[in-house]
Amino acid sequence: MDATIDTRDDMGRIPIHQAKRIGGLSDPLFVGALWACGILVLVLLGLIIGQLFLGGLPALREFGLDFLWSPSWNPVTEKYGALVMIYGTLFSAIIAVIVALPLSFGIAFFLTEIAPQQLKRPIGVAVQLLAAVPSIIYGMWGFFIVAPLMAAYVQPPLIEWLGPIPVIGALFQGPPLGSGMFTAGLILAVMIVPFITAMFVETLESVPPMLKESAYGVGCTTYEVYKNVSVPYGRTAMVGAIMLGLGRALGETMAVTFVIGNATRLSASLFAPGATIASTIANEFPEAPIGSLKLTSLLQLGFILFVISFIVLALSRALVRSRLD
């Protein structure tokens, strides 16, 4: 015979004193689980940072701070420096943001203000599909399609017309190889456009209709409403979206590896082959023996990339905070 006494009332409700006993046990467990989840993130982050720093420490001891601004990367003489990779990472990411930003603004504005309802959904789905395409597919597309088109139709006229111009001509000199920093920046721009556009669309759709209707009521055009109402209202979120796209471009690996040329040489030309931190790690890591100076240099590159990403995150938070203030 079951000795358990059912204390529920006629309505099936548990008495208050029994509910308190049950809640008194489950609530601390729930809070403890939440604490564990939060601490787990910090622990994982600390382990990653510690592994990269300690793994790259021998390279830092060998080369000192010269590792950061030395352009040399020579496995034969075991002379390693990070300047070429840092430059390539920042340069290609900045190109990507410059190209992607007006495209994202245009797509978001079209979807929220101009596009008819029957066209808005297909274009929105297409933008989401672009975000779901694997990076290696972008790399193959860039290698087989974009790079040959750049070498045949884009780079030669730009080199001929802009190359002789003083100062800015240095950006457009060199042979039309197709691959290079500019091609990598274009591929990265296509990759980050969906992320920036999606956040722009959400931001623009959150603008109160009353504000836009008031602007239209005083005679503003569609462009003026977009420029003076929608964009200022969502400026904070848009800054965050841009920095998110920049962070995405900084860490991209396979797509950049296909089209950047993977040359550890420093050049001011947009068309010259180069290398990023992520592409160098992807290319060199399989050939780095365990315990070698090359492996420790690659781990130090990984730590530098983490620091750059952290700086970008800190800048984005500072920009957002300044907008809120």
Side-chain angles (χ1 to χ4, degrees):
M1 181 176 180
D2 190 1
T4 303
I5 299 176
D6 189 0
T7 58
R8 297 175 183 268
D9 58 15
D10 295 337
M11 301 294 293
R13 295 172 298 188
I14 299 176
I16 295 177
H17 64 278
Q18 186 176 352
K20 287 183 177 180
R21 287 198 302 269
I22 297 174
L25 178 62
S26 61
D27 194 60
L29 291 177
F30 178 68
V31 173
L34 294 181
W35 271 95
C37 292
I39 293 175
L40 179 63
V41 174
L42 297 178
V43 171
L44 291 176
L45 184 62
L47 290 175
I48 294 173
I49 297 172
Q51 176 63 36
L52 291 175
F53 178 76
L54 294 177
L57 195 57
L60 195 60
R61 289 173 178 169
E62 176 71 21
F63 304 111
L65 293 179
D66 289 341
F67 181 81
L68 297 176
W69 47 75
S70 172
S72 176
W73 187 270
N74 193 335
V76 177
T77 60
E78 291 197 330
K79 297 294 182 182
Y80 300 103
L83 180 61
V84 175
M85 281 65 77
I86 295 174
Y87 170 78
T89 300
L90 296 176
F91 197 22
S92 59
I94 291 173
I95 293 174
V97 172
I98 292 175
V99 174
L101 189 56
L103 290 176
S104 299
F105 266 119
I107 297 172
F109 180 58
F110 178 75
L111 291 177
T112 55
E113 299 291 342
I114 305 298
Q117 194 63 36
Q118 61 270 23
L119 191 60
K120 182 182 299 185
R121 184 175 181 82
I123 294 179
V125 172
V127 171
Q128 295 175 3
L129 288 176
L130 284 177
V133 175
S135 62
I136 193 170
I137 302 301
Y138 280 112
M140 295 171 64
W141 171 67
F143 182 80
F144 289 109
I145 304 298
V146 178
L149 291 176
M150 293 287 293
Y153 302 106
V154 178
Q155 292 181 355
L158 290 178
I159 294 172
E160 181 181 356
W161 299 337
L162 302 179
I165 300 177
V167 184
I168 66 170
L171 297 174
F172 304 95
Q173 294 180 353
L177 301 176
S179 60
M181 299 291 291
F182 186 66
T183 305
L186 290 180
I187 300 300
L188 287 175
V190 175
M191 295 181 68
I192 66 176
V193 158
F195 298 94
I196 300 178
T197 301
M199 295 189 67
F200 279 2
V201 170
E202 291 184 6
T203 302
L204 294 175
E205 288 181 344
S206 66
V207 178
M210 184 182 300
L211 295 179
K212 295 190 289 186
E213 291 172 1
S214 300
Y216 284 123
V218 296
C220 291
T221 63
T222 303
Y223 169 74
E224 290 172 338
V225 172
Y226 182 70
K227 176 184 176 182
N228 300 319
V229 178
S230 300
V231 173
Y233 182 86
R235 186 177 299 163
T236 299
M238 289 180 176
V239 170
I242 295 169
M243 300 308 288
L244 175 64
L246 177 60
R248 175 79 170 83
L250 288 172
E252 181 51 48
T253 305
M254 294 310 300
V256 174
T257 305
F258 271 87
V259 298
I260 199 170
N262 301 303
T264 54
R265 298 191 302 269
L266 200 62
S267 175
S269 176
L270 292 170
F271 304 144
T276 65
I277 293 177
S279 67
T280 301
I281 294 175
N283 283 321
E284 304 281 349
F285 197 84
E287 303 173 359
I290 296 176
S292 64
L293 188 59
K294 182 178 183 179
L295 179 61
T296 60
S297 299
L298 292 173
L299 291 174
Q300 188 63 33
L301 283 179
F303 179 75
I304 293 172
L305 180 58
F306 179 86
V307 172
I308 293 175
S309 301
F310 177 80
I311 293 174
V312 170
L313 177 62
L315 287 175
S316 65
R317 292 183 65 86
L319 288 172
V320 170
R321 190 178 299 112
S322 65
R323 295 297 184 186
L324 292 176
D325 295 339

